[in-house]
Amino acid sequence: MSETVWTLRQLLTSGVAETIVQHTYQEEQHRPHMSCPTCARRLTARGPVHRCVETMVGTIELERPYFYCLGCREGTYPLDEVLDVSAGRIQRDVQQAAVDLATEVPYETASTLLSRLSGMTVSSERLHTFTTQVAEGLSVLDVAPPRDEIDQRVARVAAGRFRRPVLVLGIDGAYVPSRPDSARGRRPGQARYRARRARWRHAWYEAKGFRFYLLDGDRIVHLLSWHQVQSDDDLGKALQKIKDAGLIPEDTVRLCVIGDGADWIWKHVQALFPDACQVLDYYHCAEYLHKVAYAHYGHTLQALEWVEATLTRLYQGHVGAVLGGLRRMQPTSDEAAKAIDNCWVHLHEHRRRTHYGTLRRGGYPLGSGGIESSNKFICHVRLKRSGAWWYEASSNQMLALRCAKYNGTFDQVFARYRQEKMGA
Ligand SMILES: [Zn+2]
């Protein structure tokens, strides 16, 4: 029985929906006259005209009058407006469900799943089109949660605490499999080669991103992520927008910025959040120290002992002692000299961001794990698929939608899309 009802579900629910429309909007369906919305002239109903729309509850048939103003040369279907029927056969609820799936799994799989779960057929090409339409022109503020939502999350973490909660801003890059725009379309004489191999060279573009999150003991409370294949100036502008929109409650939190040694990160932080506590990712430092140890001592017990001892010093905040130690080392090879020099430069340049002892006591994070996991769950999970190489525009649209999902603003993004469609 369950199987029979499941097979018939679309017919059953669409039947119910049609009945509701008929009962609730009887007047609209048989309306004989209306006045023109533009010139107020009295118009007489034509039709009825038949229309078929696809919704999550099935295919719904509508019969409704049409009004046309000869003066304004404009026609309208009042029933469509009260029902909020959108242009095109596939309605927004189906589009939203489809895009919801497509932002999690490849288009082909999303199409199959949608059809299996809902009974709606949407081809993977349509799915791609919907995704593009919804994501078109999304900016960081479109996917950011409103300030009061952020305040609520801060208040929840702050409750019963003596100190203001730590709000971390993590900044990092992630590599996204990309293809050049020149791979688009079909050029003469190319078709027979295309079957054998791609005529373009793939590349890995850097998606630069940031994530704001709160520390609640060992737990991370997510606030806002924004990742795009973009220049570091674009990232700076996005951060500036967040700041200008007043989304960062700088007076109720202790703001802390964490990143690796990349210069572009600190340039923007210094300009936008000069009072924030700055932290150089401890684990990146550890990598530098490991390189020094293996280059200098080889894969020996001594190397391990040296790393352990040096890391302990660093962990306790004695960066001066570590720098001095590096200076005193007599390199055993050119490779060792280079590793020691690199490590020294890195630590020296960022020494004021390495007060790990004080940072730990203050409850600040030492590692950039929060932004690295954001890289993973926003960028890699969807974009790094075997055989998938993304155009820059498509990858940015997908990233914007995935950020919206994790920021809790997916519905907000759809509301914006709907508003735009209605305005158009
Ligand atoms: Zn008119």
Side-chain angles (χ1 to χ4, degrees), residues 61 118 131 213 219 308 376:
E61 314 262 346
S118 73
T131 310
Y213 55 97
R219 220 165 57 93
E308 282 293 316
K376 187 171 168 190

Side-chain angles (χ1 to χ4, degrees), residues 34 37 75-85:
M34 76 175 284
T76 177
Y77 293 96
L79 182 68
D80 290 15
E81 279 169 30
V82 293
L83 288 176
D84 195 19
V85 178

Side-chain angles (χ1 to χ4, degrees), residues 36 38-39 41 69 72:
C36 172
T38 317
C39 69
R41 191 186 307 218
C69 175
C72 304

Side-chain angles (χ1 to χ4, degrees), residues 168-172 213 256-260 265-266 269 277-282 365-371:
V168 186
L169 163 58
I171 306 176
D172 197 13
Y213 55 97
C256 156
V257 187
I258 192 155
D260 58 29
I265 295 179
W266 301 107
V269 171
C277 163
Q278 300 183 5
V279 185
L280 179 70
D281 178 57
Y282 174 76
L366 304 193
S368 56
I371 176 70

